Amino acid sequence: MSGALRGVYVDGAWRPGADELVAVNPARPAEQLGRYALAGAADVDDALAAARAALPAWRARPGLERAELLHRAAAIVEQRSEQIAVALTREEGKTIGEARGEVRRGVGVLRYFAGEVSQPAGEVYQSAVEGRFLFTLQEPLGVVAVVTPWNFPVAIPLWKIAPALAFGNTVVWKPATPTPQSSVHVIEALHDAGFPPGVVNLLLGGRSPVGQALVDAPGVDAISFTGSNPVGRAIERAATARGVKVQLELGGKNPVVVLPDADVALAVRETVRGAMLSTGQKCTATSRAIVVGDVADAFEQALLEAVRGLRVGDPLDPAVDVGPLVSAGQRDAVAAHLDQARAEGLRVGAGGGLLERPDGGWFVEPTVYLDVDPRSPIAREEIFGPVLAVMRAPDLDAAIALANDVDFGLSASVFTRDVEAAFRFVRGVDAGLVHVNSETTGSETQVPFGGMKASSSHSREQGRAARAFYTATKTVFLDMPAAA
Ligand code: NAP
Ligand code: MG
């Protein structure tokens, strides 16, 4: 392919774009990782026109041929997985082990949706009318705008793009600005797999202008968004007003509840993983621990020891547990929460400040606050950093009430050996994802993913739920006149 900077891919070719971006390593911001093209308004229009033009042939193509291209893309991503994982770690800052896991997940997502194409694409019903053939068809929506965040820059785009393409839609994708190389790798794999020009297009964009222009464009039939609540809700309002199908996956304030009979070592290990891995930058990250009864002292002591023992540093070093935050902006946002906690006089169990390292870097100490007042912003707002608020509750019912006493409802965990208590938690907690004896993060491709309350638009992603979003149901009443 041409020597043009990558970042804008329209109608099967890389374009120069309207502007440039220099990506840097969040562990060492002086290290520049590369230059990328940024889309302008004309690129948005051209990408939508290319996706529209490619649609009739793509949707008419046999589904099993679309699946074959997804299988080829899976093989390519798998073959390049180490290169993609290293690029992801260098630009996003999650540890190399986690980046490898994310790329593996991406391969699995491509294979899963290739397989989904073979599942039934409609249903046949008995009719009230003699001789009538009554059935449903699932039809593609058309041109889908996909808008994604930087925290899973390979897996999240693939779990939107793969089902959109599998079910016969075409795609214009606007990824987050801080992770350009991950986006370029995804598109290179799809290009090399042989997806026809225009079927999938990439618009790396200079923050909101490109994203806003894309989601507001009349040529968009549906929007799938993952990101922050303010941006997501604004997109939803505008899309709903235009009658455009929209799906949002937003933030979380995910609790673990530790009951008196819990395996404390397990609860501590999973809470630390959920709160601190990926530097707390997961929508499903654990950000509250609610401890019930006698176990509180033992749990808190072991938790603080584990958190103080975390190795923070260069995420490419396999011995490191916690890397930097993705950007100076995220570091400043987390720092503002730490300042607020200090002003409020919260009790610090571990960390509580920024971490200075020789190469600079946007590091924050893994932080635990104890005895947090449930009304404190630290207990209510999404922080998106390695920060955990610990609270105590007298019993399970009080713990469930505390768990539910926030705007969000994405994920929640309970640690107990008591099946009855586990089920009371499962039934009582407001969360789209509920874990018993495992961390709040982590999902599997074949099951629905999404949140309750402020955490989503109440639709679900992945698994069979993806077919429900990326298709429209047509009900067909087929009567044939008698032969002449
Ligand atoms: P964000 O600021 O909302 O950005 C998400 C995407 O929207 C980016 O591609 C961004 O582009 C774009 N964007 C920004 N303003 C826009 C506008 N006005 N119109 C259209 N697009 C616009 O979120 P983020 O900081 O990347 O990600 C962190 C957030 O994502 C957290 O709140 C986290 O909880 C959430 N998240 C949720 C899930 C889930 O599945 N529930 C998963 C992961 C993350 P730029 O980068 O160019 O600004
Ligand atoms: Mg943002």
Side-chain angles (χ1 to χ4, degrees):
M1 258 177 284
S2 74
L5 294 184
R6 301 204 165 178
V8 183
Y9 175 83
V10 174
D11 207 15
W14 296 97
R15 304 180 148 202
D19 201 352
E20 261 184 53
L21 161 80
V22 177
V24 301
N25 184 338
R28 270 187 303 281
E31 180 189 333
Q32 299 194 346
L33 299 174
R35 288 160 57 225
Y36 296 87
L38 294 176
D43 300 309
V44 178
D45 292 343
D46 292 353
L48 286 166
R52 181 65 56 194
L55 185 62
W58 182 246
R59 62 178 288 170
R61 197 154 164 173
L64 291 178
E65 283 185 27
R66 296 195 299 260
E68 184 50 35
L69 293 175
L70 291 169
H71 275 303
R72 269 193 236 161
I76 292 168
V77 173
E78 188 167 52
Q79 190 240 322
R80 297 175 187 168
S81 57
E82 185 61 15
Q83 187 193 350
I84 299 173
V86 169
L88 201 174
T89 288
R90 281 162 55 114
E91 68 185 4
E92 198 269 350
K94 72 177 57 173
T95 62
I96 185 66
E98 292 180 278
R100 288 181 182 129
E102 178 174 345
V103 176
R104 258 197 315 277
R105 178 71 182 276
V107 172
V109 164
L110 285 162
R111 293 203 169 118
Y112 175 83
F113 285 109
E116 263 295 301
V117 172
S118 308
Q119 294 301 310
E123 293 171 326
V124 180
Y125 292 81
Q126 296 289 338
S127 171
V129 175
E130 189 181 334
R132 170 174 287 174
F133 187 33
L134 183 61
F135 62 100
T136 62
L137 289 174
Q138 282 164 334
E139 301 274 36
L141 301 173
V143 175
V144 178
V146 167
V147 181
T148 54
W150 43 263
N151 66 333
F152 285 94
V154 172
I156 291 178
L158 283 175
W159 81 50
K160 295 178 188 292
I161 294 170
L165 298 179
F167 301 128
N169 304 281
T170 57
V171 169
V172 179
W173 171 31
K174 153 70 181 82
T177 310
T179 47
Q181 186 59 47
S182 299
S183 315
V184 168
H185 274 306
V186 166
I187 290 294
E188 285 175 346
L190 296 173
H191 177 92
D192 294 346
F195 282 88
V199 163
V200 58
N201 305 274
L202 171 69
L203 299 173
L204 194 61
R207 306 234 138 245
S208 37
V210 165
Q212 191 77 54
L214 174 62
V215 296
D216 287 345
V220 166
D221 297 308
I223 301 169
S224 180
F225 173 87
T226 297
S228 64
N229 282 61
V231 174
R233 292 298 176 196
I235 289 174
E236 181 182 50
R237 279 192 296 276
T240 306
R242 283 166 27 236
V244 168
K245 191 172 187 181
V246 61
Q247 169 186 64
L248 310 175
E249 291 299 338
L250 307 171
K253 188 69 189 173
N254 312 295
V256 302
V257 167
V258 182
L259 294 183
D261 71 334
D263 175 335
V264 173
L266 174 74
V268 166
R269 187 188 77 201
E270 297 294 292
T271 301
V272 172
R273 290 178 57 83
M276 304 300 171
L277 296 193
S278 291
T279 326
Q281 299 174 119
K282 295 180 187 172
C283 53
T284 51
T286 305
S287 77
R288 298 179 292 152
I290 301 165
V291 198
V292 175
D294 295 348
V295 74
D297 289 340
F299 175 83
E300 287 175 6
Q301 196 191 328
L303 174 77
L304 297 183
E305 219 167 277
V307 169
R308 292 188 194 120
L310 290 169
R311 287 151 302 188
V312 183
D314 184 341
L316 277 177
D317 175 349
V320 159
D321 302 306
V322 178
L325 292 161
V326 71
S327 63
Q330 279 304 121
R331 191 268 321 269
D332 294 346
V334 173
H337 286 283
L338 303 181
D339 289 345
Q340 186 276 320
R342 208 169 295 123
E344 195 190 315
L346 282 190
R347 198 176 136 214
V348 179
L354 303 182
L355 191 69
E356 304 297 338
R357 287 179 41 88
D359 300 325
W362 299 309
F363 290 92
V364 174
E365 293 175 317
T367 294
V368 178
Y369 296 109
L370 299 171
D371 305 319
V372 177
D373 184 326
R375 288 162 304 183
S376 163
I378 292 290
R380 311 193 73 79
E381 293 171 9
E382 184 181 53
I383 297 173
F384 233 55
V387 180
L388 178 69
V390 181
M391 291 171 266
R392 295 189 180 199
D395 55 34
L396 175 59
D397 289 333
I400 292 173
L402 260 185
N404 290 343
D405 185 27
V406 292
D407 294 335
F408 296 107
L410 185 51
S411 184
S413 296
V414 67
F415 290 87
T416 182
R417 293 180 165 100
D418 176 346
V419 174
E420 200 256 320
F423 267 95
R424 266 168 63 206
F425 182 82
V426 167
R427 302 304 291 268
V429 74
D430 298 336
L433 308 163
V434 187
H435 293 257
V436 179
N437 295 315
S438 63
E439 58 172 311
T440 56
T441 78
S443 188
E444 299 191 35
T445 308
Q446 68 277 22
V447 290
F449 178 90
M452 293 180 174
K453 302 199 291 192
S455 292
S456 90
S457 55
H458 314 291
S459 53
R460 293 290 181 268
E461 293 196 282
Q462 305 185 63
R464 276 182 288 167
R467 183 191 289 272
F469 181 75
Y470 290 103
T471 62
T473 300
K474 204 176 263 178
T475 305
V476 184
F477 307 80
L478 177 66
D479 297 292
M480 294 303 284

